[in-house]
Amino acid sequence: MDRILIRGGNRLAGRLPISGAKNAALTLMPCALLTDEPLTLRNLPRLADVDSFGHLLNQLGASTQIEGARPEDFGRVMTVRAGRLTATEAPYDIVRKMRASILVLGPLVGRAGEATVSLPGGCAIGNRPIDLHLKALEEMGAAIELAAGYVKATAPGGRLPGGRVSFPVVSVGATENAVMAAVTAKGGTRIENAAREPEIVDLCNCLVAMGASISGIGTETLEIEGRDRLHGATYRVMPDRIEAGSYACAAAITGGSLDLVGADAGDMRATLDALIEAGVTIEEHKDGVRVEASNGLAPLTLSTAPYPGFATDMQAQFMAMLCKANGASVLTETIFENRYMHVPELARMGADIQVRGRTAVVRGVDKLVGAPVMATDLRASMSLILAGLAAEGETVVQRVYHLDRGYERLEEKLSAVGADIERVGDG
Ligand code: EPZ
């Protein structure tokens, strides 16, 4: 397995390109299942999860053709053609490796009137059930059967009637599945307490480009009129607000100055506001966001929350950054029950962090010391990279396959702005 070596202490400076958003790509790709015409996605990031999702689509009978990037994009172009589906099942061996596979459930029911998806099982950050996905489909008229680790959803007469979906808890994935199932339902669907993440806005905008009828986009109440069929489209994936936020933390923790080219400040307001409160200078411009940190970091009190609140996907990265703040910070993780796997690894680098239940108290230390550390999940891995950038000496991050799921060309992008970082294989 590959490892990443970092010799810390360098101040990062320069332009860093932001790729297309992983969590938008993973909900835009299954939209292709909703039509027999081609869906072309631009600015698609080069990530392991995107490749895995492409393989899943191939298993369902869709073709995925990759072209190079257009000059105005950082990511590749992929055209997905689902002219004729040959299967409506997402098997366990794919789902267990990538939870986002569950996002074929809604579009398969919407296109083929049925879907069989392996239950995803838990992951490092929590047990992550799918009850809200199934509740939404039932409220739209689907029959749900659970057996032998699989869930089967069936639309009566092959097409969902539609209905009123009311989420007791905000769920990004369940909202995405509900939207993708509703756009070709027989009647209308109202979704209440919908998640409002920018990736869901991207999903709705892509579906509208394909002929869907959705109103209330970006709000917690979506009204969707089912269409008999959708047509193909070409759609550009939004920039990755979590990647951009992660590299903003890299500038902050190294006292550096990074120009995040392609970042959209409008998608990351809570992250930028927190950085400003920590004393970081933020300058928004037409090509992206410039982040400058030169006079130390102030401690913060932060709670994660659904969008537009502070993103849970930014918690681990801020924790690493706040290990170098002048004082004690308090972080509360309200979304996932086990998203502090990075804490013991940061502690091995000299961090002073006390976790009690969902709350972590992070006391800033004068220095972090490089050490061999283990990645456990995607964003925890990034927090170790960030700590390594600021630590004295060498940090070796193992199990970097976690990173490859969500950060495109990480060591290339960081080397280009002055980090002393390299990937070494075990080969
Ligand atoms: C999406 O996961 C993202 N993944 C996650 O990003 C992100 O952390 C999360 O949204 C929250 O923003 C993708 O978009 C591919 P949820 P998702 O459903 O949809 C509970 C990353 O690092 N819940 O909004 O799985 C759930 O357990 C990844 O890029 C139920 O109880 O998140 C959690 O506590 C990690 N029942 C809460 O809701 C359900 O049926 C929010 O989960 C579904 C979720």
mmCIF file of all heavy atoms in Angstrom, residues 22-23 26 99-100 103 125 127-133 169-174 176 197 312-313 335-337 339 378-379, ligand 1:
data_model
loop_
_atom_site.group_PDB
_atom_site.id
_atom_site.type_symbol
_atom_site.label_atom_id
_atom_site.label_comp_id
_atom_site.label_asym_id
_atom_site.label_seq_id
_atom_site.Cartn_x
_atom_site.Cartn_y
_atom_site.Cartn_z
ATOM 1 N N LYS A 22 -16.257 15.827 -5.565
ATOM 2 C CA LYS A 22 -16.518 14.380 -5.443
ATOM 3 C C LYS A 22 -17.990 14.150 -5.134
ATOM 4 O O LYS A 22 -18.655 13.347 -5.799
ATOM 5 C CB LYS A 22 -15.676 13.785 -4.333
ATOM 6 C CG LYS A 22 -16.122 12.388 -3.897
ATOM 7 C CD LYS A 22 -15.287 11.787 -2.801
ATOM 8 C CE LYS A 22 -15.705 12.161 -1.431
ATOM 9 N NZ LYS A 22 -16.819 11.397 -0.851
ATOM 10 N N ASN A 23 -18.521 14.870 -4.142
ATOM 11 C CA ASN A 23 -19.877 14.580 -3.678
ATOM 12 C C ASN A 23 -20.959 15.110 -4.605
ATOM 13 O O ASN A 23 -22.117 14.767 -4.460
ATOM 14 C CB ASN A 23 -20.072 15.078 -2.249
ATOM 15 C CG ASN A 23 -19.259 14.237 -1.270
ATOM 16 O OD1 ASN A 23 -18.743 13.179 -1.641
ATOM 17 N ND2 ASN A 23 -19.120 14.717 -0.057
ATOM 18 N N LEU A 26 -20.696 12.124 -7.592
ATOM 19 C CA LEU A 26 -21.282 10.832 -7.212
ATOM 20 C C LEU A 26 -22.802 10.847 -7.228
ATOM 21 O O LEU A 26 -23.429 9.790 -7.187
ATOM 22 C CB LEU A 26 -20.764 10.399 -5.832
ATOM 23 C CG LEU A 26 -19.254 10.134 -5.788
ATOM 24 C CD1 LEU A 26 -18.817 9.748 -4.381
ATOM 25 C CD2 LEU A 26 -18.868 9.052 -6.782
ATOM 26 N N ARG A 99 -20.047 3.481 -0.263
ATOM 27 C CA ARG A 99 -21.410 3.709 0.232
ATOM 28 C C ARG A 99 -22.259 4.471 -0.772
ATOM 29 O O ARG A 99 -23.462 4.244 -0.879
ATOM 30 C CB ARG A 99 -21.364 4.538 1.516
ATOM 31 C CG ARG A 99 -21.100 3.837 2.776
ATOM 32 C CD ARG A 99 -21.256 4.835 3.882
ATOM 33 N NE ARG A 99 -22.475 5.628 3.698
ATOM 34 C CZ ARG A 99 -23.693 5.198 3.976
ATOM 35 N NH1 ARG A 99 -23.849 3.959 4.376
ATOM 36 N NH2 ARG A 99 -24.733 5.964 3.813
ATOM 37 N N ALA A 100 -21.618 5.356 -1.527
ATOM 38 C CA ALA A 100 -22.399 6.205 -2.444
ATOM 39 C C ALA A 100 -23.092 5.366 -3.513
ATOM 40 O O ALA A 100 -23.957 5.862 -4.237
ATOM 41 C CB ALA A 100 -21.491 7.235 -3.091
ATOM 42 N N LEU A 103 -26.765 5.454 -4.246
ATOM 43 C CA LEU A 103 -27.395 6.519 -5.050
ATOM 44 C C LEU A 103 -27.875 6.019 -6.412
ATOM 45 O O LEU A 103 -28.404 6.800 -7.208
ATOM 46 C CB LEU A 103 -26.427 7.701 -5.207
ATOM 47 C CG LEU A 103 -26.111 8.428 -3.900
ATOM 48 C CD1 LEU A 103 -25.070 9.521 -4.124
ATOM 49 C CD2 LEU A 103 -27.382 9.017 -3.289
ATOM 50 N N ILE A 125 -16.824 6.064 10.151
ATOM 51 C CA ILE A 125 -17.327 7.235 10.891
ATOM 52 C C ILE A 125 -18.703 7.007 11.487
ATOM 53 O O ILE A 125 -19.273 7.889 12.113
ATOM 54 C CB ILE A 125 -17.327 8.508 10.001
ATOM 55 C CG1 ILE A 125 -18.276 8.368 8.813
ATOM 56 C CG2 ILE A 125 -15.928 8.815 9.530
ATOM 57 C CD1 ILE A 125 -18.344 9.640 7.957
ATOM 58 N N ASN A 127 -22.486 4.040 11.731
ATOM 59 C CA ASN A 127 -23.153 2.880 11.108
ATOM 60 C C ASN A 127 -23.924 3.284 9.853
ATOM 61 O O ASN A 127 -24.259 2.459 9.033
ATOM 62 C CB ASN A 127 -24.045 2.153 12.120
ATOM 63 C CG ASN A 127 -25.292 2.977 12.421
ATOM 64 O OD1 ASN A 127 -25.518 4.015 11.816
ATOM 65 N ND2 ASN A 127 -26.079 2.508 13.359
ATOM 66 N N ARG A 128 -24.219 4.540 9.701
ATOM 67 C CA ARG A 128 -24.734 5.114 8.447
ATOM 68 C C ARG A 128 -25.857 4.273 7.818
ATOM 69 O O ARG A 128 -25.712 3.684 6.756
ATOM 70 C CB ARG A 128 -23.585 5.346 7.485
ATOM 71 C CG ARG A 128 -22.567 6.272 8.123
ATOM 72 C CD ARG A 128 -21.455 6.641 7.227
ATOM 73 N NE ARG A 128 -21.898 7.569 6.176
ATOM 74 C CZ ARG A 128 -21.071 7.971 5.202
ATOM 75 N NH1 ARG A 128 -19.845 7.519 5.175
ATOM 76 N NH2 ARG A 128 -21.490 8.800 4.270
ATOM 77 N N PRO A 129 -26.998 4.209 8.472
ATOM 78 C CA PRO A 129 -28.129 3.450 7.939
ATOM 79 C C PRO A 129 -28.702 4.101 6.676
ATOM 80 O O PRO A 129 -28.286 5.197 6.283
ATOM 81 C CB PRO A 129 -29.129 3.521 9.090
ATOM 82 C CG PRO A 129 -28.793 4.758 9.821
ATOM 83 C CD PRO A 129 -27.317 4.905 9.724
ATOM 84 N N ILE A 130 -29.650 3.410 6.068
ATOM 85 C CA ILE A 130 -30.310 3.982 4.868
ATOM 86 C C ILE A 130 -31.819 4.036 5.057
ATOM 87 O O ILE A 130 -32.580 4.119 4.093
ATOM 88 C CB ILE A 130 -29.961 3.181 3.593
ATOM 89 C CG1 ILE A 130 -30.406 1.715 3.725
ATOM 90 C CG2 ILE A 130 -28.485 3.284 3.251
ATOM 91 C CD1 ILE A 130 -30.415 0.977 2.404
ATOM 92 N N ASP A 131 -32.270 4.029 6.320
ATOM 93 C CA ASP A 131 -33.722 4.018 6.592
ATOM 94 C C ASP A 131 -34.440 5.222 5.974
ATOM 95 O O ASP A 131 -35.570 5.092 5.486
ATOM 96 C CB ASP A 131 -33.985 3.951 8.100
ATOM 97 C CG ASP A 131 -33.309 5.086 8.848
ATOM 98 O OD1 ASP A 131 -32.091 5.304 8.636
ATOM 99 O OD2 ASP A 131 -33.992 5.805 9.590
ATOM 100 N N LEU A 132 -33.771 6.366 5.936
ATOM 101 C CA LEU A 132 -34.431 7.576 5.394
ATOM 102 C C LEU A 132 -34.577 7.484 3.871
ATOM 103 O O LEU A 132 -35.559 7.977 3.295
ATOM 104 C CB LEU A 132 -33.643 8.830 5.780
ATOM 105 C CG LEU A 132 -33.543 9.098 7.281
ATOM 106 C CD1 LEU A 132 -32.645 10.306 7.538
ATOM 107 C CD2 LEU A 132 -34.928 9.309 7.891
ATOM 108 N N HIS A 133 -33.611 6.795 3.226
ATOM 109 C CA HIS A 133 -33.727 6.573 1.772
ATOM 110 C C HIS A 133 -34.985 5.733 1.494
ATOM 111 O O HIS A 133 -35.767 6.027 0.595
ATOM 112 C CB HIS A 133 -32.505 5.811 1.249
ATOM 113 C CG HIS A 133 -31.198 6.512 1.401
ATOM 114 N ND1 HIS A 133 -30.420 6.926 0.343
ATOM 115 C CD2 HIS A 133 -30.487 6.857 2.515
ATOM 116 C CE1 HIS A 133 -29.311 7.504 0.785
ATOM 117 N NE2 HIS A 133 -29.329 7.475 2.089
ATOM 118 N N VAL A 169 -34.970 13.852 9.748
ATOM 119 C CA VAL A 169 -33.559 14.233 9.924
ATOM 120 C C VAL A 169 -33.043 14.650 8.545
ATOM 121 O O VAL A 169 -33.394 14.009 7.543
ATOM 122 C CB VAL A 169 -32.731 13.013 10.416
ATOM 123 C CG1 VAL A 169 -31.237 13.286 10.383
ATOM 124 C CG2 VAL A 169 -33.180 12.560 11.792
ATOM 125 N N VAL A 170 -32.248 15.669 8.479
ATOM 126 C CA VAL A 170 -31.695 16.082 7.175
ATOM 127 C C VAL A 170 -30.690 15.030 6.717
ATOM 128 O O VAL A 170 -29.781 14.647 7.464
ATOM 129 C CB VAL A 170 -30.985 17.454 7.295
ATOM 130 C CG1 VAL A 170 -30.234 17.762 6.004
ATOM 131 C CG2 VAL A 170 -32.004 18.544 7.599
ATOM 132 N N SER A 171 -30.899 14.526 5.504
ATOM 133 C CA SER A 171 -29.973 13.528 4.945
ATOM 134 C C SER A 171 -29.639 13.905 3.509
ATOM 135 O O SER A 171 -30.532 13.985 2.652
ATOM 136 C CB SER A 171 -30.621 12.134 4.956
ATOM 137 O OG SER A 171 -29.919 11.259 4.073
ATOM 138 N N VAL A 172 -28.350 14.078 3.235
ATOM 139 C CA VAL A 172 -27.918 14.439 1.876
ATOM 140 C C VAL A 172 -28.280 13.321 0.905
ATOM 141 O O VAL A 172 -28.993 13.530 -0.082
ATOM 142 C CB VAL A 172 -26.405 14.731 1.858
ATOM 143 C CG1 VAL A 172 -25.885 14.864 0.438
ATOM 144 C CG2 VAL A 172 -26.093 15.976 2.679
ATOM 145 N N GLY A 173 -27.837 12.112 1.186
ATOM 146 C CA GLY A 173 -28.045 10.993 0.256
ATOM 147 C C GLY A 173 -29.501 10.654 0.077
ATOM 148 O O GLY A 173 -29.957 10.398 -1.038
ATOM 149 N N ALA A 174 -30.267 10.673 1.165
ATOM 150 C CA ALA A 174 -31.688 10.322 1.043
ATOM 151 C C ALA A 174 -32.427 11.380 0.229
ATOM 152 O O ALA A 174 -33.310 11.063 -0.567
ATOM 153 C CB ALA A 174 -32.309 10.180 2.436
ATOM 154 N N GLU A 176 -31.051 13.123 -2.162
ATOM 155 C CA GLU A 176 -30.631 12.897 -3.554
ATOM 156 C C GLU A 176 -31.404 11.740 -4.179
ATOM 157 O O GLU A 176 -31.906 11.838 -5.294
ATOM 158 C CB GLU A 176 -29.120 12.646 -3.598
ATOM 159 C CG GLU A 176 -28.315 13.908 -3.278
ATOM 160 C CD GLU A 176 -26.846 13.649 -2.963
ATOM 161 O OE1 GLU A 176 -26.461 12.484 -2.697
ATOM 162 O OE2 GLU A 176 -26.082 14.631 -2.979
ATOM 163 N N GLU A 197 -27.445 21.127 0.742
ATOM 164 C CA GLU A 197 -26.034 21.212 0.340
ATOM 165 C C GLU A 197 -25.891 21.669 -1.106
ATOM 166 O O GLU A 197 -26.731 21.315 -1.961
ATOM 167 C CB GLU A 197 -25.365 19.849 0.530
ATOM 168 C CG GLU A 197 -24.751 19.618 1.911
ATOM 169 C CD GLU A 197 -25.776 19.526 3.053
ATOM 170 O OE1 GLU A 197 -26.991 19.516 2.780
ATOM 171 O OE2 GLU A 197 -25.361 19.475 4.211
ATOM 172 N N THR A 312 -19.637 18.977 8.408
ATOM 173 C CA THR A 312 -18.976 17.859 9.109
ATOM 174 C C THR A 312 -17.738 17.405 8.344
ATOM 175 O O THR A 312 -16.748 16.989 8.948
ATOM 176 C CB THR A 312 -19.943 16.670 9.306
ATOM 177 O OG1 THR A 312 -19.236 15.572 9.864
ATOM 178 C CG2 THR A 312 -20.587 16.231 7.993
ATOM 179 N N ASP A 313 -17.761 17.539 7.026
ATOM 180 C CA ASP A 313 -16.599 17.107 6.231
ATOM 181 C C ASP A 313 -15.403 18.021 6.399
ATOM 182 O O ASP A 313 -14.338 17.723 5.865
ATOM 183 C CB ASP A 313 -16.972 17.048 4.740
ATOM 184 C CG ASP A 313 -17.924 15.913 4.458
ATOM 185 O OD1 ASP A 313 -18.139 15.076 5.357
ATOM 186 O OD2 ASP A 313 -18.483 15.868 3.355
ATOM 187 N N ILE A 335 -23.187 15.380 13.442
ATOM 188 C CA ILE A 335 -23.763 14.601 12.331
ATOM 189 C C ILE A 335 -23.439 13.113 12.446
ATOM 190 O O ILE A 335 -24.321 12.271 12.334
ATOM 191 C CB ILE A 335 -23.245 15.145 10.961
ATOM 192 C CG1 ILE A 335 -23.492 16.646 10.836
ATOM 193 C CG2 ILE A 335 -23.845 14.347 9.813
ATOM 194 C CD1 ILE A 335 -24.943 17.040 10.697
ATOM 195 N N PHE A 336 -22.180 12.772 12.643
ATOM 196 C CA PHE A 336 -21.788 11.349 12.721
ATOM 197 C C PHE A 336 -21.318 11.000 14.131
ATOM 198 O O PHE A 336 -20.721 11.842 14.819
ATOM 199 C CB PHE A 336 -20.670 11.046 11.707
ATOM 200 C CG PHE A 336 -21.127 11.117 10.283
ATOM 201 C CD1 PHE A 336 -20.762 12.169 9.469
ATOM 202 C CD2 PHE A 336 -21.972 10.132 9.765
ATOM 203 C CE1 PHE A 336 -21.210 12.243 8.160
ATOM 204 C CE2 PHE A 336 -22.422 10.198 8.455
ATOM 205 C CZ PHE A 336 -22.039 11.257 7.652
ATOM 206 N N GLU A 337 -21.559 9.731 14.505
ATOM 207 C CA GLU A 337 -21.300 9.359 15.906
ATOM 208 C C GLU A 337 -19.848 8.975 16.171
ATOM 209 O O GLU A 337 -19.446 8.846 17.299
ATOM 210 C CB GLU A 337 -22.225 8.214 16.333
ATOM 211 C CG GLU A 337 -22.036 6.886 15.605
ATOM 212 C CD GLU A 337 -22.941 6.747 14.386
ATOM 213 O OE1 GLU A 337 -23.289 7.784 13.792
ATOM 214 O OE2 GLU A 337 -23.252 5.605 14.037
ATOM 215 N N ARG A 339 -16.748 10.345 14.417
ATOM 216 C CA ARG A 339 -15.899 11.052 13.446
ATOM 217 C C ARG A 339 -14.719 11.727 14.138
ATOM 218 O O ARG A 339 -14.325 12.834 13.798
ATOM 219 C CB ARG A 339 -16.729 12.050 12.623
ATOM 220 C CG ARG A 339 -16.062 12.317 11.297
ATOM 221 C CD ARG A 339 -16.927 13.034 10.291
ATOM 222 N NE ARG A 339 -16.328 12.912 8.967
ATOM 223 C CZ ARG A 339 -16.866 13.384 7.854
ATOM 224 N NH1 ARG A 339 -18.025 14.030 7.899
ATOM 225 N NH2 ARG A 339 -16.267 13.214 6.697
ATOM 226 N N LEU A 378 -11.564 9.177 4.972
ATOM 227 C CA LEU A 378 -11.130 10.203 4.017
ATOM 228 C C LEU A 378 -10.707 11.513 4.668
ATOM 229 O O LEU A 378 -9.584 11.997 4.489
ATOM 230 C CB LEU A 378 -12.263 10.445 3.009
ATOM 231 C CG LEU A 378 -12.109 11.611 2.047
ATOM 232 C CD1 LEU A 378 -10.828 11.507 1.262
ATOM 233 C CD2 LEU A 378 -13.314 11.674 1.123
ATOM 234 N N ARG A 379 -11.543 12.111 5.445
ATOM 235 C CA ARG A 379 -11.230 13.459 5.959
ATOM 236 C C ARG A 379 -10.244 13.360 7.134
ATOM 237 O O ARG A 379 -9.417 14.258 7.314
ATOM 238 C CB ARG A 379 -12.502 14.189 6.373
ATOM 239 C CG ARG A 379 -13.546 14.269 5.308
ATOM 240 C CD ARG A 379 -13.056 14.870 3.996
ATOM 241 N NE ARG A 379 -14.081 14.765 2.950
ATOM 242 C CZ ARG A 379 -13.934 15.142 1.699
ATOM 243 N NH1 ARG A 379 -12.784 15.618 1.308
ATOM 244 N NH2 ARG A 379 -14.901 14.999 0.820
HETATM 245 C C1 EPZ B 1 -23.035 12.692 2.421
HETATM 246 O O1 EPZ B 1 -23.101 11.435 3.062
HETATM 247 C C2 EPZ B 1 -21.590 12.868 1.995
HETATM 248 N N1 EPZ B 1 -21.221 11.814 1.050
HETATM 249 C C3 EPZ B 1 -20.675 12.815 3.223
HETATM 250 O O2 EPZ B 1 -19.345 13.084 2.782
HETATM 251 C C4 EPZ B 1 -21.100 13.922 4.193
HETATM 252 O O3 EPZ B 1 -20.324 13.818 5.366
HETATM 253 C C5 EPZ B 1 -22.591 13.769 4.546
HETATM 254 O O4 EPZ B 1 -23.367 13.760 3.327
HETATM 255 C C6 EPZ B 1 -23.089 14.909 5.429
HETATM 256 O O5 EPZ B 1 -22.880 16.131 4.796
HETATM 257 C C7 EPZ B 1 -21.562 11.942 -0.256
HETATM 258 O O6 EPZ B 1 -22.182 12.916 -0.660
HETATM 259 C C8 EPZ B 1 -21.148 10.839 -1.172
HETATM 260 P P1 EPZ B 1 -26.317 11.941 5.375
HETATM 261 P P2 EPZ B 1 -24.551 10.805 3.454
HETATM 262 O O7 EPZ B 1 -27.323 11.005 4.828
HETATM 263 O O8 EPZ B 1 -25.541 11.162 2.409
HETATM 264 C C9 EPZ B 1 -27.924 9.724 9.232
HETATM 265 C C10 EPZ B 1 -17.041 12.741 2.620
HETATM 266 O O9 EPZ B 1 -16.148 12.795 3.468
HETATM 267 N N2 EPZ B 1 -28.756 8.945 8.301
HETATM 268 O O10 EPZ B 1 -26.535 13.421 5.204
HETATM 269 O O11 EPZ B 1 -24.351 9.376 3.762
HETATM 270 C C11 EPZ B 1 -26.439 9.417 9.060
HETATM 271 O O12 EPZ B 1 -26.088 8.273 9.820
HETATM 272 C C12 EPZ B 1 -18.350 12.056 2.944
HETATM 273 O O13 EPZ B 1 -16.975 13.247 1.470
HETATM 274 C C13 EPZ B 1 -29.737 8.108 8.827
HETATM 275 O O14 EPZ B 1 -29.901 8.003 10.035
HETATM 276 O O15 EPZ B 1 -24.876 11.601 4.790
HETATM 277 C C14 EPZ B 1 -25.786 10.673 9.582
HETATM 278 O O16 EPZ B 1 -25.722 10.606 10.998
HETATM 279 C C15 EPZ B 1 -18.335 11.446 4.339
HETATM 280 N N3 EPZ B 1 -30.507 7.390 7.975
HETATM 281 C C16 EPZ B 1 -26.767 11.773 9.180
HETATM 282 O O17 EPZ B 1 -28.020 11.109 8.906
HETATM 283 C C17 EPZ B 1 -30.360 7.484 6.603
HETATM 284 O O18 EPZ B 1 -31.112 6.821 5.868
HETATM 285 C C18 EPZ B 1 -26.360 12.543 7.932
HETATM 286 O O19 EPZ B 1 -26.083 11.591 6.928
HETATM 287 C C19 EPZ B 1 -29.359 8.342 6.098
HETATM 288 C C20 EPZ B 1 -28.574 9.070 6.966
#
